Structure formats: structure tokens, C-alpha cells
Amino acid sequence: MLEATGLECVRGHRRLFTGLHCKLESGDLLQIHGENGAGKTSLLRLLCGLSLPEAGEVRWNGAPLAGNRPDFHRAAAYLGHRTSLSGDLSALENLRTARALSGRGAEISCTEALRRMGLGDCLRLPCRALSAGQRQRAAIAGLLLRPGGVWLLDEPATALDQHAIRQLGDIIQAQAAGGGMVVFTSHRELAAGGAPVRQLHLADFQ
Amino acid sequence: MTAASTPAACAALLRRDLTIAWRRRGEILHPLLFFVIVSALFAFAAGPDPALLAVAAPAVIWVGALLATLLALPRVFADDHRDGVLEQLLLSPHPPTLLVLARTLTHWLLSGAPLVVVAPLLAEVLGLPREAWPALLAGLLMGTPALSLVGAVGAALTLAARGGGVLLALLMLPLSVPILIFGAGAVRAAVLGGDAGAPLLLLGAFLLLALALAPATIVAALRASLN
């Protein structure tokens, strides 16, 4: 269970949001809405512990994040604007390193995850040779290795084509069906059908 | 589901970093060539006096090693910061201190270790007496990892700063003074027939201190840079 209470985020001299509450339990999907610069990315970074809130706290299974990092990080996967792929390594090598760092053994292999995302033909190409959409697909393939727990996805549909966006929706739904949680930001409707997607508008917390 | 162990994660990170270095192998030789050229410049500037060169050799080699170490430092975390890999390192369930230690080890393997290997060559060129070689090599073997650790702290601190490269040098070079004093001091003592043991022990103590303090400092600095 991921729970945020009274979160306040200040960037520079601007207060982005304050008194923000949200709570996710097994199988919950949450979409964060806000204008450009409203603090969607900042909220995701607070939720995954990359940055610290001005006020309030984030709790994982009832314990504050700060004292519970290894447990939380074993269960959480963060996909940011930057895809965490090194351009000099192939998608396969990148995924293998990510899996070793994630501290989780996955049921499916890295090759299988990349094949599912339609990258079977470019497993061994250096990532800098891939298009932006292909890199995003590779990053999403990384999520397939970490089912369950909580996924924090920052604009996961960036640069994806229609087919891949539908696939991403299915993957998010499958994560919820498997008892996992997903928090994501997007300007479009993702993951329609299946489990309901709760909506959080940052404008409500200003 | 089996959890991958921490040593395996560190090994995977090390293997990844070395693979990337090998893909860019043109750059592997840069610190080494820089080291040789800086040392040769000293020799050219000092003139063809063997006695003078032999006396200056410890200082020349140690300052050269210091500057060569500095050369690759801005890259220790910068590429991963750009790609977003650094965030994943901090979000790993494994102790981040061990992961940054693995990263620092890569820096040493690529910039410090080659210097230790070519140091005898430079010592020969500069006419450093053979009896001082053990002190030189032992000093470099302990001093260059300490330089990598101190440098990685600087690299982490200056990650988010503009003009970070110059700031990194200004930050790291003063902190490296003890390493320089004990390292070059040990060689000088060996040349003069004195006791090189004491400065070498102090250098070893400095390395242990850096090993104990640097990783946690690096992690704190990285968290602050990414906040």
C-alpha cells in the first residue's frame, strides 16, 4: 500500500501543490492530471523517494519511506522522462543490468520482454541507434520484468505509436489485475477498459 | 521469485561500466597519454640535467597522476545522469554506497591502474633511482584509488552545477594535497635513503579513511543533485 499524506512540493519560489493526499492499494490505478509545469513529474519523484517533500510524508505498507527504502525499492519501479538506457549498450544489455539492479528475479527473460514489445529484431543494436519510440518500448519492456508492486510512470506513452500505446494500456491493466499498482501521468486516456482508473487533478491541491 | 544478491548487482554494474568503456575504447588511453605528456613537458621545461630530473621525478610523476585522474572524473556520473541511469541506481534496493563504490572502482581501473603500470617507464625516463621504485609503485597503488574516491565525491557534488568541470578541479585538487604530500614524500625519502615506510603508512590510512567516508558522501551528494 502506497500512501501520501499532506504532501507539499516547492520548486524554486513556487509552491506547486500542498496538502495532497492519495492512497493506492493492491490493484489500484491512478492517473495524475495537471497542466505543463503543474508538478506531475515532481509528484512522481516524491512518491518514489527521489526527492523529499517540503511537508507531509510518503508511506509504504504503513512505514515511512525514509526508513524503509530497500523494501520499497524492491517493490517499486520508476520510469521517468529519461529512459535509463545507455546509448552504448544494446537494449538487451541495458535490461539485464536493470534487472540485476532491481533486486528481483523475473519469470520472463529480458529477450522475451523485448520481443513482446516488438523489439525482437533489434535486441543487439546499440540503443543510440534506436528511435525515440523504440527506446520507450525498451523501457516499458523493463517493466515487464518487474510485475507486481507499484509502478510510477512519467508520461509512459511518449513517442509511442498507436499500437504500442494500446499495448501499454494492456500492460497497465495486467499489472492491476495481478494485484500491482500503477501511478501514471499522461495527457491522454490510457488503459481504458478493465479496472477503473482513478483520477487525481493537481489543480485541486493548490 | 529469487532476489538477485547485492554482490551480483555490483558485479553487473561493474561489467556494464567496463563494457561501455570498451565500446568507447578510443577514450581509454586518454588519461594515460595525458600522464605521459604532462611528465614529458616537465622534463622538457627542466632541461637536460639528469641530476635535477631525478630529484624532480617524484613530484613530476605524482602531479601528472593527479591531473590524469582529474581528466576522466567529470564523466564518472555525468553520462548516467543524462540517461537517467543514476536515478535507477538510487532507486535500487541494494545499498547505494556499494553501487557507487563499484562505479569508483571502474574509474580507478580505467584511469588509476594504467598509471601504476606505466609509472616505471616514466621513472626510467626521468632517471629516478631504481631503489625508489618500490616506494613509487606502492604509493601509486594506494594513492590513485584514494584520488578516485576523493574525485568521485567532487564529481557527485558538482553534477548539477554549470561549469562543473572547473569547479570539480577547484574542489578536488586541494583535497588531494595529503595524498600528494605522502605519495611524493615516500619516493623522496627512498631516493635520499631515508625511511619510506611512515609516509606510505599514512597514505594507506588516508585510503582507508576515504574508503570509509567517501561512498556515503557520494550517495548524499547524488541525492542532493537529483532532488
Side-chain angles (χ1 to χ4, degrees):
Chain A
M1 186 180 71
L2 184 68
E3 189 181 11
T5 46
L7 279 193
E8 174 168 320
C9 175
V10 175
R11 284 281 153 198
H13 294 294
R14 253 187 76 207
R15 193 164 71 188
L16 293 176
F17 50 80
T18 182
L20 188 144
H21 293 262
C22 67
K23 187 170 169 183
L24 280 115
E25 296 192 53
S26 184
D28 280 354
L29 302 178
L30 178 68
Q31 180 167 8
I32 299 166
H33 295 272
E35 295 169 3
N36 296 134
K40 300 187 292 295
T41 297
S42 299
L43 175 56
L44 281 182
R45 293 175 72 90
L46 286 178
L47 288 178
C48 72
L50 270 178
S51 42
L52 299 174
E54 205 70 23
E57 74 173 352
V58 180
R59 300 169 83 87
W60 172 248
N61 289 339
L65 215 59
N68 200 13
R69 276 184 180 275
D71 269 353
F72 174 65
H73 291 322
R74 196 165 283 120
Y78 171 70
L79 172 56
H81 282 293
R82 291 169 288 196
T83 47
S84 309
L85 303 168
S86 167
D88 288 303
L89 298 177
S90 70
L92 192 56
E93 288 166 322
N94 270 305
L95 240 59
R96 286 192 175 139
T97 313
R99 183 172 61 178
L101 286 176
S102 78
R104 277 208 255 170
E107 287 96 28
I108 66 167
S109 70
C110 298
T111 316
E112 174 59 26
L114 288 165
R115 286 224 174 91
R116 259 198 234 173
M117 290 310 297
L119 294 172
D121 294 335
C122 29
L123 289 177
R124 295 183 194 283
L125 273 182
C127 277
R128 77 179 109 75
L130 300 180
S131 77
Q134 285 175 315
R135 281 200 295 271
Q136 190 68 19
R137 282 176 184 230
I140 292 167
L143 293 174
L144 294 176
L145 301 172
R146 311 177 66 177
V150 54
W151 290 353
L152 302 147
L153 316 178
D154 198 355
E155 298 287 350
T158 306
L160 293 181
D161 59 29
Q162 290 303 326
H163 173 70
I165 289 176
R166 273 195 302 277
Q167 217 182 343
L168 173 63
D170 293 343
I171 289 170
I172 290 176
Q173 282 295 343
Q175 158 82 345
M181 298 160 247
V182 187
V183 185
F184 62 96
T185 67
S186 185
H187 291 289
R188 61 166 74 224
E189 197 171 317
L190 269 180
V197 181
R198 281 161 47 202
Q199 313 290 330
L200 187 149
H201 295 269
L202 286 178
D204 298 342
F205 298 99
Q206 273 170 356
Chain B
M1 234 189 256
T2 57
S5 69
T6 299
C10 291
L13 185 64
L14 196 64
R15 195 163 51 241
R16 164 195 183 271
D17 293 344
L18 291 174
T19 309
I20 291 177
W22 180 246
R23 300 266 156 90
R24 297 179 186 163
R25 49 191 169 274
E27 295 171 24
I28 290 182
L29 284 177
H30 289 180
L32 199 59
L33 291 174
F34 187 78
F35 180 49
V36 172
I37 289 170
V38 166
S39 308
L41 285 179
F42 268 108
F44 285 130
D49 180 358
L52 180 67
L53 273 182
V55 174
V60 170
I61 293 175
W62 266 96
V63 172
L66 182 58
L67 295 178
T69 306
L70 192 60
L71 199 62
L73 269 181
R75 295 273 302 273
V76 175
F77 299 114
D79 289 353
D80 282 352
H81 183 42
R82 188 198 54 210
D83 295 336
V85 178
L86 211 49
E87 292 165 353
Q88 299 299 334
L89 286 189
L90 292 182
L91 294 178
S92 163
H94 303 294
T97 44
L98 293 180
L99 297 175
V100 299
L101 204 57
R103 168 59 50 85
T104 312
L105 177 62
T106 313
H107 175 262
W108 180 75
L109 284 174
L110 294 173
S111 66
L115 304 187
V116 182
V117 175
V118 296
L121 181 75
L122 281 178
E124 183 67 34
V125 170
L126 294 171
L128 186 76
R130 288 280 166 93
E131 57 268 23
W133 284 24
L136 175 69
L137 292 181
L140 283 174
L141 263 179
M142 291 187 289
T144 47
L147 286 175
S148 290
L149 285 164
V150 171
V153 173
L157 280 171
T158 56
L159 194 58
R162 257 167 288 174
V166 181
L167 196 59
L168 172 56
L170 293 177
L171 202 66
M172 183 223 170
L173 292 176
L175 285 173
S176 314
V177 167
I179 303 173
L180 201 65
I181 290 176
F182 300 135
V187 188
R188 221 172 24 245
V191 171
L192 299 174
D195 176 23
L200 284 179
L201 283 176
L202 283 167
L203 195 57
F206 193 88
L207 172 60
L208 291 179
L209 190 69
L211 264 177
L213 296 181
T217 316
I218 294 170
V219 171
L222 290 178
R223 284 202 200 285
S225 293
L226 289 176
N227 194 354

